[in-house]
Amino acid sequence: MHTDPEPLAVSFANTRSSSVRDRIGTFDEFRRWAQDWPALRPLAARLPADSLASLLERRDATQLVLHAVADGRKPPAAAFALATDSGLEAAPFRLRPAACGATLGRVPPFEAIHHIIARSAVDLLLSPQAAALRRCEGVGCRRVFASARANRRWCDTRVCGNRARVAAHARRHAQGTKPPTAG
Ligand SMILES: [Zn+2]
């Protein structure tokens, strides 16, 4: 089953999908990830290479916040401020939506990217999707997703769902072939 498109804040948080997997671990990887987002695409192309560390800080904070919301916990205050504050500030530039992700005009790319991602986190938390936010049950998976289906368990049935099925099969097989215990 193919999963629905995710809000930007969810996709951003999910770039860290496990302790060993980081989709934006390098600056080039961040730029590639940004290609899927019409607002980010033209800005990422102009972003200075030393921007990565602060983007990763924002990503980790966003993930902490979304995990807390999905678990029904209060997000840590520092992470919440980092993930949302710049999305609440009035931007010193104007973002105009344009068909086909055309240029946003002359906006400072670093500030604009932080603003757009933070605003997406704010919009998500203010939307009905916040209540539908859940964590993937896959072992070691850090992804979150918003789903109206109460029985959805995996970020992606082809990845985490399949892995769980394989593990369950292996467990059954191990039980079935276990030598009988003495006594
Ligand atoms: Zn998963």
Side-chain angles (χ1 to χ4, degrees):
M1 184 201 75
H2 194 73
T3 47
D4 293 327
E6 302 164 318
L8 172 59
V10 170
S11 176
F12 186 57
N14 284 348
T15 55
R16 179 64 134 175
S17 55
S18 76
S19 60
V20 292
R21 176 105 174 83
D22 189 344
R23 237 190 115 183
I24 58 170
T26 68
F27 184 62
D28 284 343
E29 285 172 336
F30 174 80
R31 292 225 267 207
R32 273 201 294 281
W33 171 80
Q35 292 305 304
D36 288 341
W37 298 94
L40 302 184
R41 193 184 305 139
L43 296 167
R46 292 163 43 211
L47 201 62
D50 62 1
S51 309
L52 184 66
S54 68
L55 288 164
L56 292 179
E57 266 182 57
R58 172 170 300 286
R59 191 274 313 278
D60 292 346
T62 305
Q63 187 172 64
L64 276 176
V65 169
L66 298 192
H67 280 179
V69 171
D71 292 345
R73 289 182 284 114
K74 192 172 155 60
F80 191 77
L82 178 50
T84 58
D85 275 0
S86 66
L88 296 167
E89 286 163 12
F93 46 81
R94 195 165 286 186
L95 299 173
R96 295 178 192 280
C100 309
T103 179
L104 294 164
R106 297 189 61 77
V107 300
F110 182 80
E111 289 80 356
I113 280 188
H114 277 277
H115 176 75
I116 291 169
I117 296 173
R119 202 176 61 183
S120 168
V122 171
D123 288 346
L124 172 65
L125 296 172
L126 292 174
S127 79
Q129 282 174 309
L133 211 56
R134 283 204 298 285
R135 293 177 69 161
C136 176
E137 293 180 24
V139 176
C141 183
R142 295 189 186 180
R143 288 200 176 101
V144 293
F145 54 85
S147 177
R149 283 195 300 119
N151 63 352
R152 181 172 160 194
R153 298 172 64 192
W154 319 111
C155 61
D156 189 330
T157 51
R158 293 162 306 177
V159 184
C160 286
N162 198 41
R163 220 172 267 153
R165 269 190 300 277
V166 169
H169 179 82
R171 268 196 307 277
R172 276 195 304 274
H173 187 73
Q175 279 159 9
T177 58
K178 201 160 45 181
T181 47

